[in-house]
Amino acid sequence: MSEQSTRVVGTRTLRHDAPEKVIGRAKYTADLQAPGMAHGKILRSPHAHARIRSIDTSRAEALPGVYAVVTARDLPPYEGDSFDHRALRDSTFASDKVLHVGHPIAAVAARTLSTAEEALDLIAVDYEVLPAVVNVLDAIKPNAPILHEHLRTSSLGGAEDRPTNIAWRFEHAIGDLTAGFAEADVIVEREFTSLLVHQGYIEPQAALAIWSPDGSLTLHTSTQGSFAVRDTIVDLLKLPMADVRVIPAEVGGAFGGKNTSYIDAAAALLARKAGRPVKTVMTRAEVFLGTGPSSGTVIRIKAGANREGRLTALDAQLYYEAGAYPGSPVGSGASVMTGAYVVPNGHIEGFDIVVNKPRSSSYRAPGGTPANFALEQVVDELAEKLGMDPIEFRLINSLRNGCQNFFGHTVADIGAVEVLEAVRAHPHYNAPLGGPNRGRGVAHAYWGNWGARSSATLTVNPDGTVGLVTGSVDITGTRTSLAMQAAEALGLDYNQVKPSVGDTGNIGYSDVSAGSRTTVATGHAVVRAAEDTIARLCARAAQIWGVPVDSMSYERATRTFSSTSDPDKRITFAELAALLPQTGNVVIGVANVDIQEWGVGYGAHIVDVEVDPETGKVKLLRYTAVQDVGKAIHPPAVEGQLQGGATQGIGWALYEGYVYDANGRLLNPHLLDYKLPTALDLPMIDTVLVEVPYPKHPYGARGVGEVPIV
């Protein structure tokens, strides 16, 4: 279906979830109650690195009002040698060592929250405190404290034979680096450090676990992916998959931080042992100490360009903190660093390094933000040394359709050049700065996006409305964008499609709502479910009329079914829907997809700042975000994504960061001292939506959520 023919897609309709959220009726996990419900609390380590000699829970168990206490002993025994499973298990409850301040050790369920908190103080843990390492460069020194005695560096050359804090090392090279630098007329070499930062969502994690008499578990939770939580619980507790039902509630912010399950297993263990429902809600300090922030990094870059402004060489080393267990997004960082430009000669080396901090988790374009920050600084310096306009320099080096990227893939259907040209032509870029101590910055960005698995069902009601259920958790208003695509594909009005989010018990498997995938990949599922619905309605009309199915067709513009075998046979969507109960019951369209091709994203931002020369305070004066969005399914939501991502990037650059002491204690685990930008710190962020449709999506859409922060 061509983008020119859309009636619903591209319109500025009201978000489906807006009214209930505005008036306070939307239900989050912390709002939920259950009969006989107990309250859960988690005991966390005060040490960054320590061996656990013993845990005595007897005094806590004896406290009146306490229903259950659980530790690692309550998890099924570990079998096998999978490091990932061991990390998952020990992240739930530490067994032999704690690896960061805030590492969970035990959990309590009690009649009241205050009783649960009192019981935590009665649990006696005997620690052998060990030296901590909280910096990636310190962690790779020969005499550094080792977090995991069994960890060996993995690389293309195989695993090393000695304990290490480097979990993974990779290299990639292209061309002739020495020759590339020899061709350069200007060279810039810099080192950049970025702090560990948190996603900053407003709603803390919460979980409500309820066991049925038949041994099945229902878990209400704040998550970006109900199936991911189900799989974690099945893996940890060794339960049959059919016995675990995960129901996602409304999500009060996530940005990648709720891809991982942190307290669900603890709530489930407590509820089973207590014999009653248990709700566990994190405090803000627990969110900072016990969930996965982004990686802190050290990035070294050396780059050269010739006098014509072409990049000739790039050499980079990326050191990423994984936190307590391996798994930093350093590979993603390397991809983003090289994703916007043609690099004829290059070398990138990446390191995934464990340190005594919380295990890193996804944060909106995980790994990409610090890598692109570093590269774009160097790109600006190269342009400055050459006396060249920074956008012109980027245009000269930009990837174009048909080019090979750094990793040898030929790129196609991209809008990088269109974005840069839109910036160059924008009034903001050409406006005078209008005062002293002012400057203008630009940055260009790439993000690869994602496809993966999604499910959708469409149910036709007798009144002509349609119920839409998908397995994708709505974290950005995607119920609206998905309902719009369903309405478009069916030829209906937006308000005739009622969207909802399913759970693991009533919808097919869907991957997490992450990687800018939901509107695109689940949109594919919705459109295919609409096509299935139309085919089933054609079959029903053919049955009613007694004509061949292959004679049937549906005209979306008039919402009319007709048969070529009898031109007089015509019936509207609404009329046919009304006949369904008497002609074979309901019609349900279904689709399950695994999207393997999707459109990547490019963006560029312009910002004017004023710097106080006495204090160094940076004031933002004007900000414009330009991005190729493919096709804006729901333009207000797309604009909000650009503004939100830019705001978080501003936070990284000017305000945010975890601050640790030498012993690995976090000094700012609350929003008083962890500084997030507010509305008072920001100008209006203007947006420009460049639309270079991605041809393999029904309406040309690309993922948009992560490019803006990069």
Side-chain angles (χ1 to χ4, degrees), residues 464-489:
T465 60
V466 175
L468 167 64
V469 183
T470 71
S472 294
V473 176
D474 185 350
I475 57 173
T476 59
T478 50
R479 274 169 291 189
T480 301
S481 63
L482 296 174
M484 292 174 75
Q485 291 178 80
E488 189 71 57

Side-chain angles (χ1 to χ4, degrees), residues 317-328:
Q317 294 79 44
L318 289 71
Y319 302 87
Y320 273 55
E321 295 177 359
Y325 300 95
S328 77

Side-chain angles (χ1 to χ4, degrees), residues 350-398:
F351 300 87
D352 178 40
I353 302 166
V354 293
V355 294
N356 292 116
K357 295 179 181 178
R359 187 181 195 180
S360 67
S361 183
S362 299
Y363 180 3
R364 199 173 196 153
T369 307
N372 202 61
F373 167 77
L375 181 71
E376 288 296 284
Q377 303 303 309
V378 169
V379 165
D380 270 349
E381 289 197 51
L382 288 170
E384 185 176 12
K385 282 179 176 287
L386 291 167
M388 185 174 288
D389 176 85
I391 293 298
E392 181 63 25
F393 184 91
R394 287 166 169 84
L395 275 165
I396 289 171
N397 293 285
S398 177

Side-chain angles (χ1 to χ4, degrees), residues 151-161 164 166-172 349-352:
L151 180 63
R152 304 291 186 269
T153 300
S154 174
S155 69
L156 288 176
E160 295 186 3
D161 60 358
T164 177
I166 302 174
W168 180 43
R169 173 186 170 274
F170 67 86
E171 285 187 85
H172 189 82
E349 190 174 11
F351 300 87
D352 178 40

